[in-house]
Amino acid sequence: AHSSASPDGFQIASYVAQQTKRLGILLAHRPGFVAPTLAARQLATLDHFSAGRLAVHIISGGDDAEQQRDGDYLQHDARYRRTSEYLDVVKRAWTSAQPFDHTGEYYRVTGHQSQIRPLQQPHLPVYFGGSSDAAIAVAGRHADVYALWGESLAQVADTIARVRASAAKHGREREIRFSLSLRPIIAPTEDAAWARAESILERAKEVVTRSPKFIVRPKDPKNVGSQRLLAEAAKGPVVDQRLWTGIAALTHAAGNSTSLVGTPRQVADALLEYRRLGVSTF
């Protein structure tokens, strides 16, 4: 996870890399708080220590108030412009065989050349999310994997089409891949799975009523991804037969909060429907 209150992801990822042998590590990283050349070296170093198991998930930030808790006062679209330039510099630091200069809107670098490059070539995978037009533009230019929350089949198909159209402007429409994040709720029977979902919802209600985070969370979140999940939840607790929106509605779509509910076979079949739309990572 990454937010203005989260534990430090680099330290967690380093610990995970030391404790495991095969587990992949997806490190969330927010541009704008360290220099892109420094971030490139940090990520490349960790890629070596993890034996090439690292990917980075770039979190530009969709909520002005949340960004400001860490002292970042750029507005939404400007944050995504900064992200795009940040990734330009990071990728040059990862791949340039010669010292390079960069002068842009947010960063200026003179004569940079790194002694450490990623173990994975040409560089470690860049995951990226965001549903606004500004985010889609960055995804088309930079994302190796575009990450979606668990939306309806229709919404996922629409987002994939938008991202591929953006990637086509850079000749990358065949390179970009898609990842879907869901919370499966499974049981031996469908009725038992739905009962489990309702049990989770009742326990979540108790947590939310006591949590300062959710007490102050606005009912109309500013980030487009949460707005899209709430639009799904407004259709009812179940969309597309088994996409459950109960937790998304309860938390005002605080992140990855939708579920597929059913037997293992039913949930697997539902995942295959997303696979047919072009999702390759779950």
Side-chain angles (χ1 to χ4, degrees), residues 107-218:
Y107 300 104
R108 183 177 178 183
V109 172
T110 302
H112 180 78
Q113 185 175 20
S114 177
Q115 294 179 2
I116 177 72
R117 298 194 188 174
L119 181 63
Q120 300 174 81
Q121 291 296 313
H123 53 71
L124 53 100
V126 174
Y127 281 63
F128 186 85
S131 298
S132 66
D133 290 341
I136 297 293
V138 179
R141 178 176 174 83
H142 284 294
D144 296 305
V145 184
Y146 179 85
L148 302 108
W149 285 337
E151 300 180 343
S152 67
L153 292 167
Q155 279 195 328
V156 168
D158 173 69
T159 298
I160 287 176
R162 291 172 65 206
V163 173
R164 280 192 171 140
S166 176
K169 297 176 183 178
H170 306 280
R172 305 180 64 247
E173 66 272 24
R174 296 185 180 276
E175 299 174 18
I176 195 164
R177 295 179 288 123
F178 296 89
S179 169
L180 186 73
S181 295
L182 288 152
R183 300 186 182 274
I185 299 175
I186 60 174
T189 68
E190 184 173 8
D191 286 346
W194 285 112
R196 187 178 179 196
E198 289 304 317
S199 172
I200 290 170
L201 181 60
E202 290 307 310
R203 282 177 282 153
K205 287 178 181 178
E206 296 179 11
V207 173
V208 167
T209 57
R210 296 194 306 267
S211 169
K213 173 182 177 180
F214 291 111
I215 290 171
V216 301
R217 180 172 173 80

Side-chain angles (χ1 to χ4, degrees), residues 9-73:
F10 271 98
Q11 294 188 60
I12 294 171
S14 297
Y15 181 79
V16 170
Q18 193 274 331
Q19 295 290 326
T20 62
K21 298 295 185 185
R22 298 190 304 273
L23 189 68
I25 302 165
L26 182 59
L27 171 60
H29 177 67
R30 182 170 286 181
F33 295 91
V34 300
T37 50
L38 172 57
R41 297 197 303 279
Q42 290 175 318
L43 290 163
T45 302
L46 186 54
D47 194 38
H48 281 268
F49 282 152
S50 65
R53 291 183 284 139
L54 181 67
V56 61
H57 188 182
I58 299 298
I59 309 289
S60 299
D63 185 328
D64 289 350
E66 206 278 320
Q67 294 287 129
Q68 289 167 11
R69 295 185 190 115
D70 258 344
D72 182 16
Y73 285 84

Side-chain angles (χ1 to χ4, degrees), residues 31-33 60-65 67-68 71-83 105-107:
F33 295 91
S60 299
D63 185 328
D64 289 350
Q67 294 287 129
Q68 289 167 11
D72 182 16
Y73 285 84
L74 279 186
Q75 296 300 301
H76 178 277
D77 287 6
R79 288 198 296 272
Y80 281 95
R81 290 198 308 273
R82 178 179 64 189
T83 292
E105 184 179 3
Y106 300 100
Y107 300 104

